């Protein structure tokens, strides 16, 4: 068994192969110099400490104990499907019976001239180290893109005392996948913390002088920053699959078993697109941590011959200041919204399809105020339930009771 | 050794639910199972020190509210990513409608 990509998904898949009792060789190849580690802290806790600390998902000892061979700092450069081998950047090659491609995604590049050393992206621990060095009090940070990573980083930078401006081309932040009512709360939280948010602002020009960056907005204003962090989305890493003739459809295309058209090659995590059973097989690509874990574990199962279909509901969270947002399901499947208020101004929006089916739930509140109800909503979504809107909207009705119904 | 501490009244916790209990600078989670037994564990998740009492109880599983890590609250066993370190458990007894836990 060979796994390409030693991230959340690849790491979990390797461990799952052993959990499932597989005793043959397991090789995990990754181009980063580290053990598989958690990325979510990189825009959150890891940034606000003295220096970023890596949070590995398993130790070297655990991998050794479980006979998982982890090859680091080496890239897979080609897959020879006929020969069942993967070629590596150090000139060696690995034979496989089953191969998992878990190459993840990388930040979308800003297609503009004028970028330079003070224009950076955040994906890896090394990126985080480089960014952290510029987040001290008094520094000016410009965040290009009002998505999750950019906003979390903005919150971290404020905590460290930097001056922060967020620039978003869309009319509001978090346009993709987050209801306006919730984006509004997050927007206000940032403003209350002193972040300047410029929405509806395209970029006219960027000039990186090496020590600072001048960003000219569409309206002619110029923002000068010591560091510009670009967070405008991510693109799946698919080159290996493309070059070996596998189909790409907004990610490496796999079926509900996470198998490509080649029965011996699987793909999972951020790099793949797959049919989502809860929405009638709608093809999606997710960039979410729990999905990477779940798909890693499922791919491992199916590599060992199970024929289990992916059935999970997408789930995502984000932390900014004291607020936590959680979303279960894809809210764009909904046609109407029912609001449920919880204690301490936390609330949940339930997204219902035309036929009344619950298709998604988005919640925001301080700490873990929305967690339990979002989790119950997720189970209702998985059951394809159509709970009465009045029940969803009333805090007096326990969601758990709807689940039993 | 046998330091039994009164945590709450038995009826304070719904069936298949959990409550936070703080004592002596420490925090615990007290559970009432669907078959009406009581259990206690450390209050914080072993992944990122989040209060488990905000999580969801299903059968004998407590699910962490932060990233959905799972533990069996009867044994403390970690039951799935991202948690890998078990939870410490404590003996519990119910006496005259009170839930008592033995803090070692
Ligand atoms: C800063 C940040 C914050 C995030 N916060 C959240 C959050 O709050 N909530 C949430 O749900 N999700 C969050 N995510 C998303 C989550 O981390 C990802 O969905 C998850 O890491 C995907 O796992 P993966 O294994 O599919 O891909 P990755 O973690 O990207 O791992 C892929 C690995 O494969 C390597 N690789 C690629 N090509 C090759 C090759 N040819 N040969 C060898 N190795 C290769 C890559 O270098 C990488 O190490 C965040 C992501 C980032 C970057
Ligand atoms: S804090 Fe409990 S699972 Fe992460």
């Amino acid at each position: 068994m060979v796994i390409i990509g030693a991230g959340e998904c690849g790491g979990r898949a390797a461990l799952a192969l052993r959990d499932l009792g597989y005793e043959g060789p397991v090789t995990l190849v990754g181009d980063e110099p580290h053990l598989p580690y958690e990325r979510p802290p990189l825009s959150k806790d890891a940034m606000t400490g003295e220096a970023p600390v890596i949070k590995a998902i398993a130790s070297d000892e655990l991998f050794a104990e479980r006979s998982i061979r982890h090859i680091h700092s080496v890239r897979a450069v080609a897959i020879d499907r006929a020969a069942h081998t993967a070629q590596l950047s150090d000139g060696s090659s690995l034979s496989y019976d089953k191969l998992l491609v878990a190459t993840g995604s990388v930040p979308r590049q800003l297609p503009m001239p004028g970028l330079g050393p003070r224009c950076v992206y955040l994906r890896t621990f090394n990126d985080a180290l480089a960014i952290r060095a510029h987040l001290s009090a008094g520094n000016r940070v410009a965040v290009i893109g009002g998505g999750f990573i950019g906003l979390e980083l903005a919150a971290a930078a404020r905590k460290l005392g930097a001056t922060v401006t967020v620039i978003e081309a869309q009319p509001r932040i978090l346009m993709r996948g987050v209801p306006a009512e919730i984006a509004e709360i997050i927007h206000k939280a940032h403003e209350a913390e002193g972040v300047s948010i410029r929405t509806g602002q395209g970029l006219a020009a960027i000039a990186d002088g090496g020590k600072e960056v001048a960003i000219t907005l569409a309206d002619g204003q110029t923002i000068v920053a010591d560091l510009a962090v670009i967070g405008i989305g991510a693109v799946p890493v698919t080159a290996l699959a493309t070059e070996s003739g596998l189909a790409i459809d907004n990610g490496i295309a796999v079926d509900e078993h996470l198998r490509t058209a080649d029965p011996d090659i699987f793909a999972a995590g951020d790099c793949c697109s797959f049919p989502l059973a809860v929405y009638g097989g709608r093809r999606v690509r997710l960039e979410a941590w729990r999905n990477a874990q779940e798909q890693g574990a499922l791919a491992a199962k199916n590599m060992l011959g199970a024929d289990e279909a992916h059935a999970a509901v997408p789930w995502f969270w984000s932390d900014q200041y004291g607020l936590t947002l959680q979303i279960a399901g894809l809210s764009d499947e909904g046609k109407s919204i029912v609001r449920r208020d919880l204690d301490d101004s936390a609330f949940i929006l339930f997204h219902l399809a035309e036929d009344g089916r619950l298709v998604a739930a988005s919640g925001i509140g301080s700490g873990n105020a929305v967690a339990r109800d979002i989790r119950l909503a997720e189970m209702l979504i998985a059951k394809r339930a159509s709970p009465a809107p009045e029940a969803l909207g009333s805090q007096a009705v326990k969601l758990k009771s709807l689940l039993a119904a | 050794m046998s330091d039994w501490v009164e945590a709450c009244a038995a009826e304070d916790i719904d069936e298949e639910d959990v409550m936070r209990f703080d004592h002596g600078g420490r925090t615990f989670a007290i559970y009432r199972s669907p078959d009406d037994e009581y259990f206690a564990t450390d209050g914080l998740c072993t992944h990122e020190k989040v209060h488990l009492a905000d999580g969801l109880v299903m059968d004998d599983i407590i699910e962490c509210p932060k990233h959905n890590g799972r533990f069996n609250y009867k044994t403390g066993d970690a039951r799935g990513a991202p948690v890998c370190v078990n939870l410490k458990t404590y003996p519990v007894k119910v006496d005259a409608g009170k839930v008592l836990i033995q803090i070692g």
Side-chain angles (χ1 to χ4, degrees), chain A residues 375-393:
Chain A
R375 183 68 178 112
L376 288 163
E378 185 193 325
M379 290 190 257
L380 287 166
I381 296 165
K383 272 183 76 177
R384 297 165 165 73
S386 302
E390 309 76 61
L392 290 174

Side-chain angles (χ1 to χ4, degrees), chain A residues 148 151 172-174 177-190 318 320 323-327 331 337 339-340 345-351 361-365 370 374:
Chain A
F148 286 114
L151 291 170
R172 66 163 170 93
I173 57 166
L174 299 171
V178 179
E181 228 173 309
I182 288 181
E184 172 81 19
I185 306 270
I186 296 175
H187 189 120
K188 285 188 175 143
H190 278 279
S318 172
Q320 291 163 50
L323 291 172
T324 292
L325 158 113
Q326 289 196 7
I327 299 180
S331 58
I337 288 180
R339 178 176 166 135
R340 180 189 186 92
S345 62
F347 66 91
I348 291 181
L349 303 178
F350 293 101
H351 306 267
S362 324
I364 188 155
V370 301
I374 288 287

